[in-house]
Amino acid sequence: MATPVSGLCSLKNKVALVTGASSGIGADVARLFASYGCRLALTGRNMEALQQVTDKCVERGLDKDEILMIQADFEVESDVRKTAEQTIQKFNQIDVLINNAGVYLNDSVENVILENFDRVFVVNVRAPLLLTHLLAPYLIKTKGTVVNVSSIVGRVSMRGLLTYSMSKSAMDHMTRCIADGLCFD
């Protein structure tokens, strides 16, 4: 079991939705939150990988009925909407939204493909915006938290990451705008 970190113990019996939870940062967040007794809604495209993360969360103390697995592709708007609906239907609340799901493609101005640009912005910017919008009333009610996972390339340019960098800059600015506009008092 994880060593308590200041503030995380308050996650017991809270509900967190973690997008992109089938690997990487999302999987690590899910396992950590499970250690603190946080009920979880987990999304991912790969259900086998999502099941493995869920199994680890159960090993860390959550009951299986405290975890909702949602297969979702955030390129598809109906999957984003389904994620919000199923989370609220199962738990009737949300305390933490972790917008982590993302798409990474290498490109530059010389080889950018507009269809790839659209895909990156749909997953990395539009889906988190829509999900936050749909869940805002519930987050306000619980005085909840939104965490938007970004990247250093949103602030610092790196060769070969044009579209991805632009999407992360948009995510960073969206985060600032939402923080200025929503009061969770």
Side-chain angles (χ1 to χ4, degrees), residues 54-73:
T54 296
D55 293 344
K56 291 292 182 186
C57 290
V58 169
E59 286 176 20
R60 291 186 179 212
L62 281 186
D63 290 331
K64 206 165 179 92
D65 67 340
E66 295 178 301
I67 304 169
L68 172 64
M69 293 190 311
I70 305 167
Q71 186 170 22
D73 179 348

Side-chain angles (χ1 to χ4, degrees):
M1 185 159 287
T3 304
V5 177
S6 178
L8 288 180
C9 293
S10 64
L11 290 173
K12 185 153 184 67
N13 297 318
K14 301 286 186 177
V15 174
L17 167 56
V18 183
T19 71
S22 58
S23 65
I25 293 169
D28 288 343
V29 168
R31 290 187 291 264
L32 178 65
F33 280 26
S35 297
Y36 291 101
C38 186
R39 296 174 291 159
L40 298 169
L42 306 175
T43 73
R45 292 179 295 182
N46 181 327
M47 281 304 281
E48 183 178 319
L50 201 56
Q51 183 62 58
Q52 291 173 1
V53 172
T54 296
D55 293 344
K56 291 292 182 186
C57 290
V58 169
E59 286 176 20
R60 291 186 179 212
L62 281 186
D63 290 331
K64 206 165 179 92
D65 67 340
E66 295 178 301
I67 304 169
L68 172 64
M69 293 190 311
I70 305 167
Q71 186 170 22
D73 179 348
F74 279 11
E75 285 185 68
V76 180
E77 182 177 327
S78 62
D79 280 8
V80 177
R81 291 181 181 280
K82 170 182 79 172
T83 296
E85 291 165 4
Q86 288 184 6
T87 299
I88 296 305
Q89 184 177 40
K90 166 98 174 147
F91 298 110
N92 200 34
Q93 76 181 65
I94 183 163
D95 301 281
V96 182
L97 169 58
I98 310 285
N99 283 313
N100 172 67
V103 170
Y104 170 91
L105 298 171
N106 289 347
D107 63 358
S108 67
V109 73
E110 295 90 1
N111 68 2
V112 68
I113 298 169
L114 291 181
E115 290 79 12
N116 289 343
F117 172 91
D118 292 342
R119 177 176 179 228
V120 168
F121 268 77
V122 163
V123 175
N124 295 3
V125 182
R126 188 176 196 272
L129 175 61
L130 177 58
L131 193 56
T132 305
H133 165 73
L134 294 170
L135 294 172
Y138 302 95
L139 290 161
I140 291 168
K141 183 177 179 183
T142 62
K143 299 181 182 180
T145 301
V146 178
V147 178
N148 292 323
V149 177
S150 186
S151 169
I152 188 64
V153 300
R155 296 179 181 261
V156 178
S157 61
M158 296 181 92
R159 178 175 283 213
L161 299 177
L162 175 66
T163 300
Y164 180 73
S165 297
M166 291 169 62
S167 76
K168 291 306 178 175
S169 290
M171 172 67 90
D172 291 346
H173 199 63
M174 179 178 77
T175 302
R176 287 188 292 274
C177 291
I178 290 170
D180 286 343
L182 283 182
C183 293
F184 296 110
D185 337 290

